[in-house]
Amino acid sequence: MAVGVLIGGAGIGRHVARPYGRGYLRFGAAVGFWLASLVVFVGGYMFMGIVAFMYM
């Protein structure tokens, strides 16, 4: 699932950068991938924290 979020983030970033010209597609994909990885990291960290507190 995390890989799907990363690929989707890169695709969305590429789509958002499309109106700005062809040179920005790779930059948009990189920014989208980075933001999606940040979301996956924070979401995973929160999920692990919730699970840890459930079993304390």
Side-chain angles (χ1 to χ4, degrees), residues 45-56:
Y45 186 72
M46 287 175 50
F47 178 75
M48 287 188 293
I50 290 169
V51 170
F53 281 118
M54 279 176 37
Y55 290 108
M56 286 183 109

Side-chain angles (χ1 to χ4, degrees), residues 10-25:
I12 290 171
R14 204 174 146 101
H15 179 72
V16 169
R18 187 170 292 154
Y20 299 105
R22 194 167 168 209
Y24 290 99
L25 290 178

Side-chain angles (χ1 to χ4, degrees), residues 20-53:
Y20 299 105
R22 194 167 168 209
Y24 290 99
L25 290 178
R26 190 175 296 155
F27 176 73
V31 170
F33 184 87
W34 182 80
L35 289 175
S37 66
L38 190 67
V39 168
V40 167
F41 177 74
V42 170
Y45 186 72
M46 287 175 50
F47 178 75
M48 287 188 293
I50 290 169
V51 170
F53 281 118

